[in-house]
Amino acid sequence: MSQKGAGAKIASSRDGRDTRNGRRLFGTNGIRGLANVELTTEFVMRIGGAVGTFFREGRLLVGYDGRTSSPMLAQAVIAGLTSTGCTVYNVGMTPTPAIQYAVRHHKMDGAVMVTASHNPPKYNGIKVIAENGIELSRQHEIEIEDIFSDDRIRKADWNAIGEARQLPGIFDVYREGIKKHIDVKAIQKRRLHVIVDSGNAVGGLVAPYLLREIGCKVTTINTNIDGAFPSRTPEPRPENLGELSSIMSVVGADLGVAYDGDADRSIFVDESGEVHWGDRTFGLIERSFLQNNPGEKIVTPVSSSYLIKDIAEEYGGEVVWTKVGSIIVAHTMKKVKAKLGGEENGGVFYAPHQPVRDGAMTTALILDIIAETERKLSELLSELPSYYLEKDKFNCPNELKEPIMEELNQQIEGMIVDTTDGVKISFPDKSSILIRPSGTEPIYRFYAEGKTRRRATHLLTEYKAKLHRLVDELRDD
Ligand code: MG
């Protein structure tokens, strides 16, 4: 198919690499776009062709999330992959971590997952997974982008076209895999009551069954899969988990958990109904992990709370800070041989199981800690150092992002600054502000943290005003 024939607009960037609507194909977490507008069947079939060419007649899994457009786009991916000679095993609807686990278990060459994770229902996306279960490195994404834009998509001879087979039952080995890393007997003994909110997405295919198998009493809400996500947005955030939060104390549950659209991230609610940010529950896992494994490295993006550093210092661990992005965390963990990583958005990477975000594994780890300590989640979290986090964003035209960063860097000379991703300024009172330009949208993101809410809010207001002034000045120039 010619590039013109593809449904998405293909523009050419200055470095000669074709991009979609002026952007490269892969963003921070795979290829994303509006279903049937940007991600058309024609476009996705070509992506499948480029991915299949990259994998050279390999054996690949294909799976998809619960979005309305996902089965259609999965068929397009399969057509593209098999046309290059790859053999495809269709695992059907699945959480992303379950297909990542299956890649290694079945010794596949890789996988393609059709999902837009936490994005609104009209979006979809493609994640490409390597043989080790981790999403491809940027270098390999560029190879696929080059195959796509140079029109080097392989066409197999008629008698070498790949077969498309079905591979049902990947959830059984995935659940068994998770159970190997927790004390099932101790959890069974506690008879914990857990409420699972899968937000009408694929998390409901695995977690409720896993939790019942390990002896929990499970109540599910929003478990019917519905691509319109009628219950809440697929991004679990404190402000949209009101339903889960309000049920907790009414039914006397011990733990509530909500997953994102492809169930690699999990956000927890304590027995009183309080919703906790991901880095606090990650901190709890970190503390328990370092108590058993002192001296280990903990990998986390600069957007995470200093809580992670405080816990590492107290329990003899070492924090490795990275840029924001789950793929970067996973690849860094591999590079520095770390067993644990985590993000403030509820992504926890537990490498003894698999070095990728995994919502069901994270839930099992939290239950393991509750069972072992015989404490309530609220009590456990109250023992951790407390920080207040304020997040916000700020509209800024893409062309002004670089000059603003240069100007800001001059203004903050002499301060304690970390430039791993954007600019993170730290203050002696353990407060900090991270200002980072989004790689995909014309915005700046702010993460302000302080030992009091007032300090965090103050930092946020101060630096937003600073950026406002810079934008105005640069516009006037
Ligand atoms: Mg996700």
PDB file of all heavy atoms in Angstrom, residues 283-305:
ATOM      1  N   GLY A 283       6.043   3.157  47.856  1.00  0.00           N
ATOM      2  CA  GLY A 283       6.952   3.310  49.001  1.00  0.00           C
ATOM      3  C   GLY A 283       6.790   2.171  50.010  1.00  0.00           C
ATOM      4  O   GLY A 283       7.767   1.685  50.588  1.00  0.00           O
ATOM      5  N   LEU A 284       5.560   1.754  50.191  1.00  0.00           N
ATOM      6  CA  LEU A 284       5.283   0.648  51.120  1.00  0.00           C
ATOM      7  C   LEU A 284       5.927  -0.654  50.598  1.00  0.00           C
ATOM      8  O   LEU A 284       6.554  -1.405  51.365  1.00  0.00           O
ATOM      9  CB  LEU A 284       3.760   0.472  51.211  1.00  0.00           C
ATOM     10  CG  LEU A 284       3.222  -0.342  52.357  1.00  0.00           C
ATOM     11  CD1 LEU A 284       3.601   0.292  53.685  1.00  0.00           C
ATOM     12  CD2 LEU A 284       1.687  -0.434  52.241  1.00  0.00           C
ATOM     13  N   ILE A 285       5.779  -0.885  49.308  1.00  0.00           N
ATOM     14  CA  ILE A 285       6.393  -2.078  48.699  1.00  0.00           C
ATOM     15  C   ILE A 285       7.918  -1.964  48.783  1.00  0.00           C
ATOM     16  O   ILE A 285       8.618  -2.929  49.093  1.00  0.00           O
ATOM     17  CB  ILE A 285       5.922  -2.240  47.227  1.00  0.00           C
ATOM     18  CG1 ILE A 285       4.418  -2.535  47.200  1.00  0.00           C
ATOM     19  CG2 ILE A 285       6.713  -3.330  46.504  1.00  0.00           C
ATOM     20  CD1 ILE A 285       3.785  -2.515  45.825  1.00  0.00           C
ATOM     21  N   GLU A 286       8.419  -0.753  48.539  1.00  0.00           N
ATOM     22  CA  GLU A 286       9.867  -0.510  48.604  1.00  0.00           C
ATOM     23  C   GLU A 286      10.407  -0.831  50.007  1.00  0.00           C
ATOM     24  O   GLU A 286      11.435  -1.516  50.142  1.00  0.00           O
ATOM     25  CB  GLU A 286      10.150   0.962  48.265  1.00  0.00           C
ATOM     26  CG  GLU A 286      11.615   1.351  48.361  1.00  0.00           C
ATOM     27  CD  GLU A 286      11.811   2.863  48.373  1.00  0.00           C
ATOM     28  OE1 GLU A 286      10.826   3.612  48.546  1.00  0.00           O
ATOM     29  OE2 GLU A 286      12.975   3.289  48.236  1.00  0.00           O
ATOM     30  N   ARG A 287       9.697  -0.363  51.040  1.00  0.00           N
ATOM     31  CA  ARG A 287      10.155  -0.599  52.405  1.00  0.00           C
ATOM     32  C   ARG A 287      10.225  -2.097  52.720  1.00  0.00           C
ATOM     33  O   ARG A 287      11.240  -2.598  53.209  1.00  0.00           O
ATOM     34  CB  ARG A 287       9.213   0.089  53.396  1.00  0.00           C
ATOM     35  CG  ARG A 287       9.681  -0.017  54.828  1.00  0.00           C
ATOM     36  CD  ARG A 287       8.771   0.721  55.780  1.00  0.00           C
ATOM     37  NE  ARG A 287       7.543  -0.016  56.020  1.00  0.00           N
ATOM     38  CZ  ARG A 287       6.662   0.273  56.978  1.00  0.00           C
ATOM     39  NH1 ARG A 287       6.875   1.320  57.756  1.00  0.00           N
ATOM     40  NH2 ARG A 287       5.559  -0.431  57.137  1.00  0.00           N
ATOM     41  N   SER A 288       9.162  -2.809  52.369  1.00  0.00           N
ATOM     42  CA  SER A 288       9.132  -4.244  52.632  1.00  0.00           C
ATOM     43  C   SER A 288      10.230  -4.967  51.829  1.00  0.00           C
ATOM     44  O   SER A 288      10.915  -5.857  52.337  1.00  0.00           O
ATOM     45  CB  SER A 288       7.746  -4.770  52.258  1.00  0.00           C
ATOM     46  OG  SER A 288       7.772  -6.134  52.042  1.00  0.00           O
ATOM     47  N   PHE A 289      10.413  -4.532  50.572  1.00  0.00           N
ATOM     48  CA  PHE A 289      11.423  -5.151  49.709  1.00  0.00           C
ATOM     49  C   PHE A 289      12.832  -4.924  50.267  1.00  0.00           C
ATOM     50  O   PHE A 289      13.646  -5.854  50.344  1.00  0.00           O
ATOM     51  CB  PHE A 289      11.296  -4.569  48.294  1.00  0.00           C
ATOM     52  CG  PHE A 289      12.388  -4.994  47.356  1.00  0.00           C
ATOM     53  CD1 PHE A 289      12.380  -6.266  46.791  1.00  0.00           C
ATOM     54  CD2 PHE A 289      13.428  -4.133  47.029  1.00  0.00           C
ATOM     55  CE1 PHE A 289      13.399  -6.667  45.927  1.00  0.00           C
ATOM     56  CE2 PHE A 289      14.439  -4.522  46.167  1.00  0.00           C
ATOM     57  CZ  PHE A 289      14.424  -5.796  45.620  1.00  0.00           C
ATOM     58  N   LEU A 290      13.118  -3.684  50.710  1.00  0.00           N
ATOM     59  CA  LEU A 290      14.464  -3.388  51.209  1.00  0.00           C
ATOM     60  C   LEU A 290      14.723  -4.040  52.571  1.00  0.00           C
ATOM     61  O   LEU A 290      15.867  -4.380  52.893  1.00  0.00           O
ATOM     62  CB  LEU A 290      14.685  -1.869  51.297  1.00  0.00           C
ATOM     63  CG  LEU A 290      14.896  -1.161  49.958  1.00  0.00           C
ATOM     64  CD1 LEU A 290      14.995   0.341  50.153  1.00  0.00           C
ATOM     65  CD2 LEU A 290      16.137  -1.680  49.217  1.00  0.00           C
ATOM     66  N   GLN A 291      13.664  -4.237  53.354  1.00  0.00           N
ATOM     67  CA  GLN A 291      13.837  -4.955  54.633  1.00  0.00           C
ATOM     68  C   GLN A 291      14.346  -6.373  54.367  1.00  0.00           C
ATOM     69  O   GLN A 291      15.156  -6.904  55.111  1.00  0.00           O
ATOM     70  CB  GLN A 291      12.514  -4.993  55.399  1.00  0.00           C
ATOM     71  CG  GLN A 291      12.233  -3.692  56.139  1.00  0.00           C
ATOM     72  CD  GLN A 291      10.817  -3.639  56.713  1.00  0.00           C
ATOM     73  OE1 GLN A 291       9.921  -4.333  56.233  1.00  0.00           O
ATOM     74  NE2 GLN A 291      10.612  -2.804  57.714  1.00  0.00           N
ATOM     75  N   ASN A 292      13.861  -6.963  53.284  1.00  0.00           N
ATOM     76  CA  ASN A 292      14.284  -8.327  52.929  1.00  0.00           C
ATOM     77  C   ASN A 292      15.501  -8.362  52.007  1.00  0.00           C
ATOM     78  O   ASN A 292      16.152  -9.392  51.875  1.00  0.00           O
ATOM     79  CB  ASN A 292      13.129  -9.083  52.259  1.00  0.00           C
ATOM     80  CG  ASN A 292      11.959  -9.265  53.210  1.00  0.00           C
ATOM     81  OD1 ASN A 292      12.158  -9.561  54.384  1.00  0.00           O
ATOM     82  ND2 ASN A 292      10.752  -9.037  52.728  1.00  0.00           N
ATOM     83  N   ASN A 293      15.746  -7.251  51.293  1.00  0.00           N
ATOM     84  CA  ASN A 293      16.845  -7.220  50.315  1.00  0.00           C
ATOM     85  C   ASN A 293      17.658  -5.930  50.457  1.00  0.00           C
ATOM     86  O   ASN A 293      17.679  -5.098  49.551  1.00  0.00           O
ATOM     87  CB  ASN A 293      16.290  -7.277  48.873  1.00  0.00           C
ATOM     88  CG  ASN A 293      15.395  -8.466  48.623  1.00  0.00           C
ATOM     89  OD1 ASN A 293      15.866  -9.538  48.275  1.00  0.00           O
ATOM     90  ND2 ASN A 293      14.095  -8.277  48.792  1.00  0.00           N
ATOM     91  N   PRO A 294      18.346  -5.738  51.606  1.00  0.00           N
ATOM     92  CA  PRO A 294      19.078  -4.465  51.769  1.00  0.00           C
ATOM     93  C   PRO A 294      20.155  -4.304  50.704  1.00  0.00           C
ATOM     94  O   PRO A 294      20.703  -5.298  50.219  1.00  0.00           O
ATOM     95  CB  PRO A 294      19.691  -4.593  53.167  1.00  0.00           C
ATOM     96  CG  PRO A 294      19.626  -6.048  53.512  1.00  0.00           C
ATOM     97  CD  PRO A 294      18.498  -6.645  52.742  1.00  0.00           C
ATOM     98  N   GLY A 295      20.400  -3.033  50.344  1.00  0.00           N
ATOM     99  CA  GLY A 295      21.461  -2.745  49.379  1.00  0.00           C
ATOM    100  C   GLY A 295      21.005  -2.748  47.933  1.00  0.00           C
ATOM    101  O   GLY A 295      21.771  -2.403  47.029  1.00  0.00           O
ATOM    102  N   GLU A 296      19.759  -3.117  47.676  1.00  0.00           N
ATOM    103  CA  GLU A 296      19.287  -3.186  46.281  1.00  0.00           C
ATOM    104  C   GLU A 296      19.020  -1.784  45.707  1.00  0.00           C
ATOM    105  O   GLU A 296      18.819  -0.822  46.451  1.00  0.00           O
ATOM    106  CB  GLU A 296      17.993  -4.008  46.204  1.00  0.00           C
ATOM    107  CG  GLU A 296      18.189  -5.496  46.411  1.00  0.00           C
ATOM    108  CD  GLU A 296      18.776  -6.207  45.190  1.00  0.00           C
ATOM    109  OE1 GLU A 296      18.719  -5.643  44.077  1.00  0.00           O
ATOM    110  OE2 GLU A 296      19.287  -7.330  45.367  1.00  0.00           O
ATOM    111  N   LYS A 297      18.988  -1.738  44.375  1.00  0.00           N
ATOM    112  CA  LYS A 297      18.690  -0.474  43.685  1.00  0.00           C
ATOM    113  C   LYS A 297      17.185  -0.351  43.444  1.00  0.00           C
ATOM    114  O   LYS A 297      16.514  -1.342  43.159  1.00  0.00           O
ATOM    115  CB  LYS A 297      19.409  -0.430  42.343  1.00  0.00           C
ATOM    116  CG  LYS A 297      20.914  -0.363  42.451  1.00  0.00           C
ATOM    117  CD  LYS A 297      21.496  -0.069  41.071  1.00  0.00           C
ATOM    118  CE  LYS A 297      22.991   0.162  41.150  1.00  0.00           C
ATOM    119  NZ  LYS A 297      23.755  -1.081  41.174  1.00  0.00           N
ATOM    120  N   ILE A 298      16.665   0.870  43.567  1.00  0.00           N
ATOM    121  CA  ILE A 298      15.249   1.157  43.317  1.00  0.00           C
ATOM    122  C   ILE A 298      15.197   2.173  42.177  1.00  0.00           C
ATOM    123  O   ILE A 298      15.805   3.240  42.277  1.00  0.00           O
ATOM    124  CB  ILE A 298      14.582   1.781  44.575  1.00  0.00           C
ATOM    125  CG1 ILE A 298      14.825   0.914  45.824  1.00  0.00           C
ATOM    126  CG2 ILE A 298      13.099   2.033  44.330  1.00  0.00           C
ATOM    127  CD1 ILE A 298      14.192  -0.451  45.817  1.00  0.00           C
ATOM    128  N   VAL A 299      14.496   1.841  41.102  1.00  0.00           N
ATOM    129  CA  VAL A 299      14.463   2.725  39.932  1.00  0.00           C
ATOM    130  C   VAL A 299      13.126   3.471  39.891  1.00  0.00           C
ATOM    131  O   VAL A 299      12.063   2.853  40.011  1.00  0.00           O
ATOM    132  CB  VAL A 299      14.665   1.918  38.628  1.00  0.00           C
ATOM    133  CG1 VAL A 299      14.592   2.834  37.407  1.00  0.00           C
ATOM    134  CG2 VAL A 299      16.004   1.187  38.666  1.00  0.00           C
ATOM    135  N   THR A 300      13.205   4.791  39.731  1.00  0.00           N
ATOM    136  CA  THR A 300      11.967   5.582  39.702  1.00  0.00           C
ATOM    137  C   THR A 300      12.205   6.895  38.954  1.00  0.00           C
ATOM    138  O   THR A 300      13.304   7.431  38.971  1.00  0.00           O
ATOM    139  CB  THR A 300      11.463   5.822  41.155  1.00  0.00           C
ATOM    140  OG1 THR A 300      10.088   6.201  41.108  1.00  0.00           O
ATOM    141  CG2 THR A 300      12.264   6.868  41.884  1.00  0.00           C
ATOM    142  N   PRO A 301      11.173   7.409  38.267  1.00  0.00           N
ATOM    143  CA  PRO A 301      11.351   8.678  37.537  1.00  0.00           C
ATOM    144  C   PRO A 301      11.446   9.871  38.483  1.00  0.00           C
ATOM    145  O   PRO A 301      10.988   9.792  39.630  1.00  0.00           O
ATOM    146  CB  PRO A 301      10.072   8.787  36.687  1.00  0.00           C
ATOM    147  CG  PRO A 301       9.399   7.472  36.755  1.00  0.00           C
ATOM    148  CD  PRO A 301       9.837   6.827  38.032  1.00  0.00           C
ATOM    149  N   VAL A 302      11.994  10.970  37.974  1.00  0.00           N
ATOM    150  CA  VAL A 302      12.177  12.167  38.808  1.00  0.00           C
ATOM    151  C   VAL A 302      10.846  12.754  39.268  1.00  0.00           C
ATOM    152  O   VAL A 302      10.823  13.591  40.165  1.00  0.00           O
ATOM    153  CB  VAL A 302      12.986  13.282  38.084  1.00  0.00           C
ATOM    154  CG1 VAL A 302      14.450  12.933  38.044  1.00  0.00           C
ATOM    155  CG2 VAL A 302      12.444  13.561  36.697  1.00  0.00           C
ATOM    156  N   SER A 303       9.737  12.316  38.683  1.00  0.00           N
ATOM    157  CA  SER A 303       8.418  12.819  39.101  1.00  0.00           C
ATOM    158  C   SER A 303       7.944  12.175  40.402  1.00  0.00           C
ATOM    159  O   SER A 303       6.931  12.593  40.964  1.00  0.00           O
ATOM    160  CB  SER A 303       7.388  12.561  38.004  1.00  0.00           C
ATOM    161  OG  SER A 303       7.406  11.200  37.635  1.00  0.00           O
ATOM    162  N   SER A 304       8.660  11.160  40.892  1.00  0.00           N
ATOM    163  CA  SER A 304       8.250  10.499  42.132  1.00  0.00           C
ATOM    164  C   SER A 304       8.615  11.331  43.355  1.00  0.00           C
ATOM    165  O   SER A 304       9.505  12.172  43.315  1.00  0.00           O
ATOM    166  CB  SER A 304       8.941   9.134  42.266  1.00  0.00           C
ATOM    167  OG  SER A 304       8.386   8.238  41.353  1.00  0.00           O
ATOM    168  N   SER A 305       7.938  11.017  44.440  1.00  0.00           N
ATOM    169  CA  SER A 305       8.145  11.727  45.694  1.00  0.00           C
ATOM    170  C   SER A 305       9.527  11.428  46.289  1.00  0.00           C
ATOM    171  O   SER A 305      10.080  10.344  46.096  1.00  0.00           O
ATOM    172  CB  SER A 305       7.075  11.277  46.684  1.00  0.00           C
ATOM    173  OG  SER A 305       7.375  11.714  47.976  1.00  0.00           O
TER     174      SER A 305
END
